[in-house]
Amino acid sequence: MGLIFSFGGTCLAQEGAATRPSDVALEIEALRTLDDLQATAPQVHQLIDACAGAAGETKTADTDAIDSAANDDRATYMVLLRLREGLISGDDARIEQDEKELSDLEEKSQVNFSPRITGSLPARTAAEKIVRLFSAQQIAALIAQRNEEISDPTEILVAALSQCRGMKLADFQAFNTDVSEEIADLVAGVTVRPNRSVQMRTAALMRTAFHMQQEDYDAQLPDLQDRAKNLTKVAASMALRHWVQWEIVQLLSNPQLDLALTERSSWGTETSSTSQESP
C-alpha cells in the first residue's frame, strides 16, 4: 500500500502507488519517457531488471517546492494524479488535457514539476545497452516528442554565461555544477563518470563570466562566446546520440521508475502495433 497524503482530512491513496506529490511527479517523468518511446511490454519487463539499484538522487529544492505547491492547492495534486493515471492507461486525450493543466499550474506557481535527477553510476553504465533495446522508430519517436528540449551544447553554454550573471554565490555554484555536467555529457557522451576535462573547463569558463565586472564582461563577451564554441565543438549527430543516452540515464536513475514500470506492466504497455523491439 502506498503512503497516504492528506488534504484537509481527505485521504487520497491508491494501492501500491506513490502518493507524496514529488514522488508522483517523478513517476510522471518516468511514464512520460516510456510513453514517448512507445515502450512495449517485453521492453518494460527488461527495464524492470535494469533499474534495480540504479536510482539517483533528486534535488531537494525541487521536491520540496512540488510538495509545498501541492499541499497549498489540492487541485494541483489532483492534476498530478490524473496525469499519472492517464499515462499509465495510455489515454492520449486525457494526457494532453492534463499536461496543459499542469503547464498552466507551473506558470502560475513558478514551480517546476519535473524534478532534476542526478544520473547514477549504475544508470550510466547500463545506458548504451538500454538504448539498444529500442528500435530506430522508437528513438525517433522520443526525439520527435522532445524536439523542443534538445539543445545544442554550444547554445546551452553561451546562454548560461549570461544567465549566471547576478546570481547569488550559492545559486551560481549549483547552476555551474548542473551546466558543466550537462555539457560534459552532451559533448563527450555518457560514461561511467562525466568527462572531467570538459566538465572542469566548462566550470572554469562559467566562473570567469560570473566574477567579471559588467564592463569587462560586455567587452569580452565575443571572446567568451568563442571559447564556449571551441569547448563544445561536437558533430550534431553525436550530440543527438549523447542526448538520447542521457535521457535513458535519467529514466534509469528515476527513483520512481520501478513503480512506473510495475504499473505500466499491469495495465499493458503495447502502445503501438508498429513498435518492435530491436534485435
Side-chain angles (χ1 to χ4, degrees):
M1 176 85 174
L3 297 174
I4 296 176
F5 202 84
S6 177
F7 288 93
T10 301
C11 293
L12 302 170
Q14 180 177 332
E15 187 71 27
T19 52
R20 182 183 174 193
S22 55
D23 286 344
V24 176
L26 283 164
E27 188 181 350
I28 286 170
E29 282 298 292
L31 289 166
R32 277 185 182 130
T33 302
L34 295 172
D35 190 60
D36 290 345
L37 280 166
Q38 302 174 355
T40 65
Q43 289 166 341
V44 166
H45 286 291
Q46 287 177 281
L47 282 167
I48 289 174
D49 293 332
C51 76
E57 296 181 358
T58 54
K59 302 290 184 179
T60 303
D62 291 357
T63 55
D64 286 350
I66 292 169
D67 290 338
S68 178
N71 219 351
D72 292 341
D73 181 10
R74 182 175 183 272
T76 297
Y77 185 50
M78 297 306 295
V79 170
L80 288 170
L81 289 179
R82 288 199 304 270
L83 178 54
R84 177 179 65 184
E85 292 171 6
L87 286 163
I88 290 171
S89 62
D91 186 337
D92 290 339
R94 182 175 178 180
I95 292 170
E96 183 177 359
Q97 178 181 341
D98 291 331
E99 287 281 21
K100 184 180 184 308
E101 284 192 47
L102 188 60
S103 178
D104 291 342
L105 287 169
E106 282 187 326
E107 185 174 349
K108 178 182 176 182
S109 64
Q110 296 298 299
V111 171
N112 182 1
F113 287 92
S114 299
R116 290 168 294 170
I117 305 169
T118 301
S120 71
L121 295 183
R124 288 175 174 276
T125 302
E128 184 57 30
K129 177 182 178 181
I130 297 304
V131 169
R132 291 196 294 269
L133 284 180
F134 299 97
S135 68
Q137 183 181 12
Q138 288 174 302
I139 297 298
L142 175 68
I143 293 170
Q145 287 294 324
R146 305 192 175 190
N147 65 315
E148 294 183 0
E149 300 175 23
I150 302 172
S151 298
D152 182 273
T154 300
E155 294 175 354
I156 294 172
L157 183 51
V158 168
L161 294 176
S162 297
Q163 291 169 5
C164 73
R165 302 282 299 161
M167 284 185 174
K168 295 180 180 179
L169 181 58
D171 293 337
F172 166 72
Q173 290 172 335
F175 180 68
N176 194 8
T177 297
D178 289 343
V179 171
S180 60
E181 289 180 354
E182 182 178 7
I183 293 296
D185 286 322
L186 288 175
V187 171
V190 172
T191 56
V192 175
R193 294 184 184 276
N195 185 291
R196 294 293 294 170
S197 175
V198 175
Q199 189 175 355
M200 291 174 67
R201 285 185 290 153
T202 300
L205 184 60
M206 294 271 289
R207 283 194 296 272
T208 297
F210 174 73
H211 288 295
M212 277 182 169
Q213 295 295 322
Q214 188 61 45
E215 60 182 20
D216 293 333
Y217 176 77
D218 291 339
Q220 297 183 45
L221 181 57
D223 178 62
L224 290 171
Q225 292 176 335
D226 285 342
R227 290 167 62 184
K229 291 174 184 176
N230 289 331
L231 178 58
T232 56
K233 192 177 298 182
V234 61
S237 59
M238 290 304 297
L240 188 58
R241 176 183 177 85
H242 296 162
W243 176 85
V244 171
Q245 291 174 340
W246 180 242
E247 288 297 299
I248 296 300
V249 168
Q250 289 283 283
L251 177 66
L252 294 176
S253 300
N254 191 316
Q256 295 299 315
L257 175 58
D258 56 346
L259 181 57
L261 290 168
T262 300
E263 293 185 341
R264 272 293 285 239
S265 177
S266 66
W267 283 69
T269 57
E270 198 73 42
T271 59
S272 171
S273 60
T274 60
S275 296
Q276 294 182 355
E277 188 178 348
S278 295

